[in-house]
């Protein structure tokens, strides 16, 4: 009998030892994007970038001996869903950190949930100022819109010699609103004039009346800080109305879908962006090669930012030596000289915004490529 009890104790001790480390073995990362809605191209590319980075990290032994495990949720591009899926990731999946969303409006809807639960959330791509202002657990891997808007305003004024600009923005998007304000303030400071401002809404299809109003003011260029889903259609309708002026945009244009929607109307257009696939730096081309081999398409800036976000998180977890939310948060905030395929993050500012460069790209409708023009340093 004694022998049996001893054996039972031994077995339970043994299983406790083997079971406990197994549950702490993984670093649980919640991921949420629009996988099926109007901006699903953003979610699909982002998820690809995340998968590539997670596989690389796990294949090379994980982080401090722990593997990364991904929990993916689709918010269908709806802010109310973004909120509930993040609640689920935290309460049910007990994630240690969260990656998401792309569109600023969706990140803004979800961020208060992560902040309240003290779970670090990193948006790879939301550029609106307000996103990280939600609280000290909210981070991003991209630059913000004051920087992006300023970069395009300077390019329009100095390189394109534009003096009169019309702005066409999406009223349903925090991103579009912020970017048009940031562009306006810099462009005016330089001595340029905003001659017209018109608005549209997400999923609109007919933009003719606003375009005609803006055409009357004879702008030198048209700034459209929106998402590819509407921008492609706007470009087509503008060209049909004989508006051959340069069209200017931002990162929200970056999608392989844009070419299908806009076609040749995208001639003579320029955008600010995070990542240049034609950047010949070895680390960029190495990433492009691996991504293309796995997903049979070239990576866009969403793929690149999401890939960098995993390494950005991994770098912090490694330094934190823990999966504790506070310790990961502190380590993230102390990030220095982090090199990614979207450029080097020198440091984060007091609102957890990366200080890093932007690129300007010209659209080539013959090859469906965003062609690198210049880098704007912070
Ligand atoms: N910056 C956009 C936003 O904040 C999202 C985006 C980033 C879209 C990069 C495309 C490429 O809403």
């Amino acid at each position: 009998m004694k022998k049996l009890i001893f054996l039972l104790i031994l077995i339970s001790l043994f299983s406790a030892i083997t079971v406990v480390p197994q549950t702490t073995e993984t670093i649980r990362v919640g991921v949420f994007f629009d996988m099926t809605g109007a901006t699903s191209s953003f979610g699909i590319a982002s998820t690809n970038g995340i998968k590539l980075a997670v596989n690389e990290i796990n294949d090379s032994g994980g982080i401090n001996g722990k593997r990364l495990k991904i929990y993916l949720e689709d918010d269908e591009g709806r802010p109310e869903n973004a909120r509930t899926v993040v609640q689920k990731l935290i309460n049910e999946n007990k994630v240690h950190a969260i990656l998401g969303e792309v569109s600023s409006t969706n990140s803004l809807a979800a961020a208060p949930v992560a902040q309240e639960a003290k779970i670090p959330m990193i948006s790879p791509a939301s550029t609106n100022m307000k996103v990280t202002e939600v609280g000290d657990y909210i981070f991003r891997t991209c630059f913000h819109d004051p920087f992006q808007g300023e970069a395009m305003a300077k390019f329009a004024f100095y390189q394109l010699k534009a003096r009169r600009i019309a702005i066409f923005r999406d009223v349903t998007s925090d991103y579009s609103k912020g970017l048009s304000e940031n562009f306006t303030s810099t462009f005016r400071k330089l001595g340029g004039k905003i001659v017209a401002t018109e608005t549209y809404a997400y999923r609109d299809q007919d933009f003719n009346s606003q375009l005609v109003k803006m055409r009357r003011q004879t702008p030198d260029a048209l700034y459209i800080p929106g998402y590819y889903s509407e921008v492609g259609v706007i470009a087509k309708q503008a060209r049909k109305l004989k508006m051959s002026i340069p069209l200017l945009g931002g990162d929200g244009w970056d999608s392989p879908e844009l070419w299908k929607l806009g076609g040749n109307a995208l001639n003579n257009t320029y955008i600010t962006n995070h990542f240049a696939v034609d950047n010949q730096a070895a680390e960029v081309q190495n990433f492009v090669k691996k991504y293309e081999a796995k997903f049979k398409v070239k990576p866009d800036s969403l793929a690149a930012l999401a890939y960098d976000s995993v390494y950005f998180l991994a770098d912090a977890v490694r330094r934190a030596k823990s999966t504790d939310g506070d310790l990961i948060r502190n380590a993230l905030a102390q990030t220095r000289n982090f090199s990614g395929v979207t450029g080097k993050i020198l440091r984060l500012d007091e609102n957890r915004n990366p200080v890093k460069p932007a690129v300007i790209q010209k659209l080539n409708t013959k090859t469906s490529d965003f062609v690198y023009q210049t880098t704007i340093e912070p």
Side-chain angles (χ1 to χ4, degrees), residues 1 12 44 75 104 139 143 150 153 157 172 183 269 274 280 296 308 314 355 364 374 377:
M1 190 63 187
S12 63
I44 293 164
D75 63 26
S104 292
F139 293 81
F143 50 69
E150 185 184 315
F157 190 89
T172 62
F183 177 94
T269 59
H274 306 268
Q280 291 310 313
K296 314 291 171 229
D308 279 353
V355 179
N364 183 337
T374 180
E377 296 295 339

Side-chain angles (χ1 to χ4, degrees), residues 143-355:
F143 50 69
H144 57 42
D145 284 333
F147 179 61
Q148 176 169 208
E150 185 184 315
M152 185 45 89
K154 285 183 176 161
F155 182 77
F157 190 89
Y158 292 119
Q159 306 297 315
L160 301 176
K161 311 266 184 265
R163 295 296 178 266
R164 301 166 57 80
I165 298 256
I167 298 182
F168 197 20
R169 69 174 178 86
D170 175 353
V171 269
T172 62
S173 152
D174 293 284
Y175 159 70
S176 195
K177 178 170 185 282
L179 200 46
S180 81
E181 287 166 2
N182 301 134
F183 177 94
T184 299
S185 60
T186 304
F187 196 68
R188 284 198 179 130
K189 237 182 261 157
L190 293 172
K193 221 175 149 187
I194 306 299
V195 294
T197 307
E198 291 291 328
T199 59
Y200 63 89
Y202 182 60
R203 295 196 157 183
D204 275 0
Q205 287 299 318
D206 181 1
F207 306 95
N208 280 289
S209 69
Q210 298 100 308
L211 286 168
V212 167
K213 276 193 210 152
M214 291 187 284
R215 190 179 62 178
R216 249 180 246 140
Q217 303 306 321
T218 61
D220 300 327
L222 176 57
Y223 187 46
I224 319 170
Y227 296 132
Y228 70 92
S229 38
E230 288 79 30
V231 164
V233 186
I234 293 171
K236 255 193 184 154
Q237 293 177 8
R239 298 313 191 202
K240 237 193 183 149
L241 289 166
K242 299 267 168 323
M243 296 175 82
S244 55
I245 51 174
L247 306 180
L248 315 177
D251 52 356
W253 291 33
D254 192 355
S255 162
E257 296 296 313
L258 180 72
W259 309 104
K260 295 180 198 154
L261 296 164
N264 282 337
L266 298 166
N267 267 325
N268 197 18
T269 59
Y270 300 86
I271 62 168
T272 42
N273 212 345
H274 306 268
F275 169 74
V277 74
D278 50 350
N279 177 343
Q280 291 310 313
E283 60 274 25
V284 173
Q285 286 313 312
N286 189 19
F287 161 70
V288 172
K289 221 191 279 155
K290 286 184 291 189
Y291 187 94
E292 251 192 306
K294 197 169 163 75
F295 303 108
K296 314 291 171 229
V297 282
K298 285 212 167 95
D300 57 14
S301 56
L302 278 322
L305 283 168
Y307 178 83
D308 279 353
S309 298
V310 175
Y311 278 98
F312 179 56
L313 173 63
D315 172 61
V317 175
R318 202 166 282 133
R319 282 182 285 111
K321 297 187 179 66
S322 165
T323 49
D324 176 76
D326 290 350
L327 296 179
I328 296 177
R329 192 224 78 87
N330 293 344
L332 277 169
Q334 283 157 12
T335 300
R336 290 275 181 290
N337 297 321
F338 170 83
S339 275
V341 294
T342 60
K344 191 172 191 169
I345 297 178
L346 300 175
R347 61 183 177 85
L348 304 186
D349 74 8
E350 60 286 0
N351 278 322
R352 296 160 302 288
N353 294 308
V355 179

